[in-house]
Amino acid sequence: MKQDQQCRLLAKPSDATAVYQHISREDGAWQYLNFAARVMRRDEIWKGDTGDHEYAIILLGGNYRVNTNKGAWQTVNGRKDVFSGMAHSLYLPRHTPFELIAESDVLDIAYGWCETDRDFLPVFKRPEEVQIEVRGGDNATRQINDLLGPGFPCHRLVAVEVYTPSGNWSSFPAHKHDERIVDENGTLVEARLEETYFYKISKPQGYAIQRVYTADGSLDEIAVARHNDVVLVPKGYHPVVAGHGYDVYYLNFLAGSDQSLANTPDPDHAWIFGTWKGQDERIPMVTAKMNG
């Protein structure tokens, strides 16, 4: 992890290797979540083994094929980049050796992984299978793509990608998911989750601003997130705003107590729910019809 000098929760991309982001659970000082992103060239091969971890590989741009001891898969209509279509997502269970081969001039992928003691089947999720949710309203409208959302057949991993149009707020009103809370009926109200925000910006000079804060003030950080940056969210509320003129994409990976997105809104701002007059017509920003 290449930590920003001004914000301890901001990881900058590395130009030194093909793996341009790498966040270990030790980097996050948390229990479960690891994240990485890498660029590959045509015919380049990434060989790995999930070991005691479950993996989710998200296609950011390009095409690949994968061979494993549990099956083989290939993308044929991979998006050019995150602003040009929907993701392919590949879930690999533990104890899966794999070989991933780049089949485009440039292949850009991101992946998250965490330890597990449970066995599941691999899943290859195509763009046309991804469910789109339009969340919020007015200038807090954004698009959420369900990649490994709640209910996905895995142990802990959750992955969604979010599109926020120029000037809009996202992850807002702010919410948190840093303690496990169940109500008197045993229903999960809030999960304890570790989270990474991996950013892509529509223009190279663009940026988003993200605040990560707790109610007691023990954590209060502001990150200026640029293209290929990662913001770590160990606890607290974490809203985002896209700089005017720049569409913002972020890929969220989460892992923790439950395969869930159960959260608690910041009570200071919960009044905003239900006050919106409409939704931003720029949403949805991407669809599966744009692929290939």
Side-chain angles (χ1 to χ4, degrees), residues 1-99:
M1 173 178 163
K2 183 180 177 183
Q3 189 177 47
D4 182 74
Q5 294 183 351
Q6 295 182 325
C7 177
R8 59 192 173 100
L9 298 180
L10 179 62
K12 306 299 292 184
S14 171
D15 296 326
T17 65
V19 179
Y20 62 92
Q21 279 287 3
H22 189 282
I23 314 295
S24 69
R25 64 179 186 179
E26 290 79 15
D27 291 328
W30 51 38
Q31 187 174 0
Y32 297 109
L33 184 61
N34 307 272
F35 173 83
R38 71 167 63 206
V39 170
M40 299 169 61
R41 306 298 173 180
R42 184 180 294 276
D43 298 326
E44 186 178 346
I45 299 173
W46 170 32
K47 291 185 177 181
D49 192 315
T50 61
D52 292 328
H53 303 82
E54 56 180 0
Y55 269 63
I57 301 171
I58 310 302
L59 178 58
L60 303 171
N63 278 298
Y64 66 75
R65 71 181 188 273
V66 175
N67 300 314
T68 78
N69 62 345
K70 297 180 176 67
W73 304 271
Q74 183 177 23
T75 68
V76 293
N77 62 331
R79 54 188 175 181
K80 178 182 177 183
D81 54 51
V82 299
F83 296 102
S84 303
M86 304 283 277
H88 290 75
S89 305
L90 176 61
Y91 171 79
L92 296 177
R94 65 176 181 163
H95 304 151
T96 305
F98 62 88
E99 182 180 80

Side-chain angles (χ1 to χ4, degrees), residues 33-174:
L33 184 61
N34 307 272
F35 173 83
R38 71 167 63 206
V39 170
M40 299 169 61
R41 306 298 173 180
R42 184 180 294 276
D43 298 326
E44 186 178 346
I45 299 173
W46 170 32
K47 291 185 177 181
D49 192 315
T50 61
D52 292 328
H53 303 82
E54 56 180 0
Y55 269 63
I57 301 171
I58 310 302
L59 178 58
L60 303 171
N63 278 298
Y64 66 75
R65 71 181 188 273
V66 175
N67 300 314
T68 78
N69 62 345
K70 297 180 176 67
W73 304 271
Q74 183 177 23
T75 68
V76 293
N77 62 331
R79 54 188 175 181
K80 178 182 177 183
D81 54 51
V82 299
F83 296 102
S84 303
M86 304 283 277
H88 290 75
S89 305
L90 176 61
Y91 171 79
L92 296 177
R94 65 176 181 163
H95 304 151
T96 305
F98 62 88
E99 182 180 80
L100 187 149
I101 304 99
E103 295 198 319
S104 52
D105 290 341
V106 178
L107 172 65
D108 192 6
I109 56 174
Y111 43 104
W113 68 100
C114 67
E115 284 189 348
T116 182
D117 57 1
R118 300 183 189 180
D119 294 309
F120 295 86
L121 295 175
V123 177
F124 184 59
K125 190 170 185 177
R126 297 173 175 84
E128 59 270 21
E129 299 174 298
V130 176
Q131 184 176 354
I132 293 175
E133 178 186 357
V134 179
R135 193 174 296 174
D138 298 339
N139 70 328
T141 309
R142 60 274 194 192
Q143 173 182 348
I144 291 85
N145 294 344
D146 182 344
L147 305 181
L148 277 74
F152 188 91
C154 67
H155 186 189
R156 297 187 187 277
L157 284 177
V158 178
V160 297
E161 54 184 8
V162 181
Y163 289 84
T164 308
S166 156
N168 278 19
W169 285 79
S170 196
S171 295
F172 194 81

Side-chain angles (χ1 to χ4, degrees), residues 200-221:
K200 298 279 191 181
I201 313 296
S202 61
K203 295 181 177 63
Q205 70 272 36
Y207 60 90
I209 296 174
Q210 182 162 22
R211 185 183 178 204
V212 184
Y213 66 97
T214 55
D216 63 6
S218 60
L219 177 63
D220 197 347
E221 295 274 349

